[in-house]
Amino acid sequence: MSKEPTDTLQICLSYILEQLRRHDENCDNEMVPFFLGINGVQGIGKSFLVSAIAHRLERVNHNVRTIVLSLDDFYLTHNDQVQLAAAHPDNSLLQHRGQPSTHDLPLALSILASLRAGQETNIPSYDKSAFSGQGDRKPWGQWTQVNKAGHQPVKLVILEGWCLGFRALNDGQVTARWTDAVKQCTQGNNYQGRLGHNRLEDVLFINEALKGYDALTDQLDALIHLDAEDPRYVYEWRLEQEDQLRRERGSSMTIAEVVNFVDGYYPSYELFTNRLRSGIFADRTGAQLRLVIRKDRQVKEIINL
């Protein structure tokens, strides 16, 4: 997989530094960190980008102590995920981790609250290889400790995730979009989505669970949306990631497994992306940066919302 283009990194760094400057000017307590969210489909380059941002801000003339979190760090434990799947055996969207409802929101909110208070905080980590790839949260002793006494306090908290910033729709909107998707699917109109292949009650469950994620989104001071020009790029980008894993580790998902994996996420892209594109902070102009990303991962358009 190719690296995240330099222009994307530079654009994000400039935006973040300006946001930090305004934060310092307007915040009464200089110890309160800035909370930045980053949204993007799988394979778009979120992990590389946030790592590069943290490296630059901490080591290249800025001295901004940065901690990177992922929504993946807050997945349910393996036991809790198994129980969730068993409680909804007919909902294919809940049979594996990923969708809204498969994260431990109370844990995530407690970690963010601790960081906001400048307290010594233990950051959880998730082992995706556990239980033959089903995954499990790592033991507490393997969590990362930040804000330790005598250490530089965290100034910037970056939280990245594929559904971070998604806002739930009302049931009528979900039903209308699902009905249209089913119509396209059954009429053979070259429908390329996945929403129309799922039951209405299943996607309504995900939409209802997403309402709880507003508590996370509302913690953010700003959001960068890496917006794939065509969401279908996610399939090719994930295949590129698996090719790289195969070269590095000798094994990876097959093409069919990648397609099945992405299929599970795609209904949410169909439902919630348009609202994210229009802006999710109604009362805060300039708090969202939307970067339209081409298939080659280069920035096509910059939109401040």
Side-chain angles (χ1 to χ4, degrees):
M1 182 183 67
S2 61
K3 292 184 176 181
E4 188 70 18
T6 302
D7 65 341
T8 307
L9 175 58
Q10 295 302 330
I11 291 166
C12 290
L13 282 172
S14 296
Y15 177 78
I16 293 168
L17 289 170
E18 176 60 19
Q19 291 290 326
L20 288 173
R21 184 189 66 78
R22 294 180 182 179
H23 176 73
D24 289 341
E25 288 181 351
N26 299 322
C27 187
D28 294 332
N29 184 353
E30 64 179 13
M31 298 304 293
V32 176
F34 187 87
F35 287 80
L36 173 72
I38 296 186
N39 171 288
V41 301
Q42 292 92 340
I44 201 169
K46 296 188 300 297
S47 296
F48 180 86
L49 178 62
V50 296
S51 177
I53 288 171
H55 175 81
R56 291 287 190 93
L57 291 178
E58 288 195 313
R59 297 175 176 83
V60 186
N61 301 324
H62 300 298
N63 195 33
V64 177
R65 178 72 176 98
T66 303
I67 182 72
V68 175
L69 310 177
S70 171
L71 273 184
D72 294 357
D73 295 326
F74 301 108
Y75 278 133
L76 297 173
T77 63
H78 178 261
N79 183 60
D80 287 344
Q81 177 60 45
V82 168
Q83 291 184 37
L84 177 66
H88 305 275
D90 297 325
N91 189 336
S92 62
L93 299 174
L94 298 179
Q95 299 311 302
H96 50 78
R97 66 179 188 266
Q99 289 289 340
S101 73
T102 66
H103 301 89
D104 188 336
L105 289 182
L107 174 62
L109 291 170
S110 70
I111 295 296
L112 295 184
S114 180
L115 290 169
R116 186 176 296 278
Q119 298 173 344
E120 189 172 295
T121 307
N122 291 288
I123 308 298
S125 182
Y126 192 85
D127 181 3
K128 294 182 180 179
S129 67
F131 291 95
S132 301
Q134 294 180 39
D136 197 9
R137 189 179 301 153
K138 290 183 179 179
W140 188 87
Q142 296 180 31
W143 294 14
T144 301
Q145 193 175 65
V146 299
N147 283 341
K148 292 188 288 186
H151 289 239
Q152 183 182 1
V154 171
K155 177 68 174 176
L156 173 64
V157 178
I158 301 177
L159 177 61
E160 62 89 2
W162 73 274
C163 63
L164 184 66
F166 283 174
R167 300 284 198 186
L169 308 175
N170 63 51
D171 286 355
Q173 291 172 313
V174 173
T175 300
R177 295 185 187 187
W178 176 84
T179 300
D180 182 64
V182 169
K183 182 178 180 180
Q184 293 183 56
C185 184
T186 56
Q187 291 184 349
N189 293 335
N190 195 31
Y191 175 64
Q192 295 183 319
R194 296 302 306 172
L195 178 60
H197 295 281
N198 287 270
R199 302 185 309 170
L200 176 59
E201 55 263 43
D202 295 345
V203 294
L204 283 171
F205 183 96
I206 298 301
N207 185 68
E208 184 65 28
L210 183 60
K211 294 177 182 178
Y213 288 64
D214 281 348
L216 280 180
T217 298
D218 291 342
Q219 296 286 320
L220 302 177
D221 295 299
L223 175 77
I224 296 175
H225 178 201
L226 305 176
D227 182 17
E229 183 180 18
D230 182 347
R232 297 287 301 177
Y233 296 162
V234 65
Y235 287 93
E236 186 169 329
W237 287 340
R238 281 297 288 127
L239 285 170
E240 289 176 4
Q241 285 185 323
E242 293 304 314
D243 286 342
Q244 182 174 338
L245 286 174
R246 191 177 301 112
R247 290 192 298 270
E248 294 176 351
R249 304 178 186 178
S251 63
S252 65
M253 286 193 288
T254 65
I255 293 177
E257 288 171 336
V258 169
V259 171
N260 183 64
F261 172 81
V262 176
D263 281 351
Y265 292 84
Y266 207 85
S268 289
Y269 295 143
E270 294 175 78
L271 283 172
F272 308 118
T273 298
N274 282 342
R275 183 170 182 183
L276 180 60
R277 285 171 170 167
S278 65
I280 59 170
F281 302 118
D283 59 340
R284 284 186 280 152
T285 301
Q288 183 170 334
L289 179 67
R290 177 183 166 212
L291 302 180
V292 180
I293 307 297
R294 301 189 316 231
K295 191 174 184 179
D296 61 2
R297 295 190 182 85
Q298 297 288 337
V299 176
K300 177 182 179 180
E301 189 176 2
I302 302 171
I303 304 167
N304 280 283
L305 297 167

